[in-house]
Amino acid sequence: MREGHEGTGPGAITPDGCAVELYTRLAAGGEPDIIEAAVPAGAHILELGCGVGRMTHPLLERGFRVTAVDESAEMLARVRGARTIRSTIEGLDLGEKFDVVMLASFLVNTGDTEVRRSMLRTCAAHVGDGGCVLIQREGADYHTNVPRERVDPSGYTVRIASVEPVGDGVNSVLAEYEFPDAAWTQTFLARPLTQEQFEDALAEGGLEVAEYLTEDGIWVRAVPTA
């Protein structure tokens, strides 16, 4: 388990505190629709941190090709229909270019600045000419509107129970997931980024914002800097 990360609940837990069985139950929501609208039909997507395929599978159903990367063998074992590669994001070097590189799940807000830089460099290194990088970042109130919860239409509850500063601009976040038959928690380290800080971070990785895809600024289309 990585320092500052922890997970509880049934089944295997990955080094960053994610429960494999939990993620097989979480809905993709409207995220695949956002992605589909932002990239060319049939594009080849390099999905970094794919997990169990929560977004992989809907993207495949929409006609995209997906190369799915995750460091967890237990997560990758749940992915169907995509080429899968077991690797950390920061250590990935495929020597290939893709139409779209996707870094979702708020991974850009990792508490480790060096890991963030390496992940963004991985994105820039794998995007082809004329391609783009899709990034999902935390919303402006993610660390301040706490505690908060939402009930998914399928019947489970997701709760951000607490956010506690641990120094150097990093917070320890406790998330809780409640289902009728099981419950999980995940504790992880996250670094809030203002829009300016986010754009500076992209620049460090050789990227720049082409477009904010959603009104809340959570989904972003970025391109390599000239």
Side-chain angles (χ1 to χ4, degrees):
M1 197 65 59
R2 291 197 181 96
E3 184 178 355
H5 295 250
E6 185 181 0
T8 67
I13 306 290
T14 65
D16 57 357
C18 294
V20 176
E21 184 181 339
L22 165 64
Y23 276 83
T24 65
R25 299 183 178 207
L26 297 182
E31 294 167 348
D33 294 332
I34 294 170
I35 297 161
E36 183 178 24
V39 302
H44 190 178
I45 299 174
L46 175 64
E47 184 185 3
L48 302 175
C50 66
V52 298
R54 183 175 63 91
M55 285 196 282
T56 315
H57 299 138
L59 291 173
L60 290 169
E61 290 169 3
R62 286 164 167 76
F64 295 103
R65 289 188 296 146
V66 182
T67 293
V69 177
D70 204 278
E71 68 176 322
S72 167
E74 293 92 345
M75 289 283 196
L76 287 175
R78 308 296 184 99
V79 177
R80 298 287 181 267
R83 172 193 180 197
T84 58
I85 295 172
R86 186 182 178 191
S87 173
T88 62
I89 297 169
E90 59 270 28
L92 187 70
D93 184 7
L94 296 178
E96 301 174 38
K97 302 289 187 179
F98 296 82
D99 304 319
V100 180
V101 179
M102 188 167 70
L103 185 70
S105 301
F106 312 121
L107 292 172
V108 73
N109 289 95
T110 174
D112 189 321
T113 301
E114 284 305 316
V115 169
R116 182 191 71 213
R117 287 180 181 136
S118 296
M119 289 195 298
L120 290 172
R121 288 176 187 139
T122 294
C123 292
H126 288 86
V127 66
D129 292 342
C132 67
V133 179
L134 299 185
I135 300 172
Q136 185 184 27
R137 57 189 283 260
E138 291 176 348
D141 64 346
Y142 188 90
H143 291 257
T144 55
N145 179 22
V146 178
R148 67 179 182 276
E149 70 178 39
R150 68 174 179 85
V151 178
D152 189 82
S154 61
Y156 63 85
T157 299
V158 181
R159 180 180 303 110
I160 302 299
S162 65
V163 172
E164 300 293 340
V166 294
D168 189 33
V170 177
N171 292 331
S172 176
V173 181
L174 171 60
E176 299 174 345
Y177 302 84
E178 295 180 358
F179 289 75
D181 61 337
W184 287 268
T185 71
Q186 182 183 4
T187 302
F188 58 94
L189 300 180
R191 182 183 298 275
L193 297 171
T194 65
Q195 181 173 320
E196 181 180 6
Q197 289 169 332
F198 169 70
E199 293 180 1
D200 286 345
L202 288 188
E204 286 182 336
L207 299 167
E208 62 185 4
V209 172
E211 181 184 7
Y212 286 92
L213 298 171
T214 53
E215 262 187 48
D216 55 17
I218 289 175
W219 278 95
V220 184
R221 184 168 62 87
V223 294
T225 51

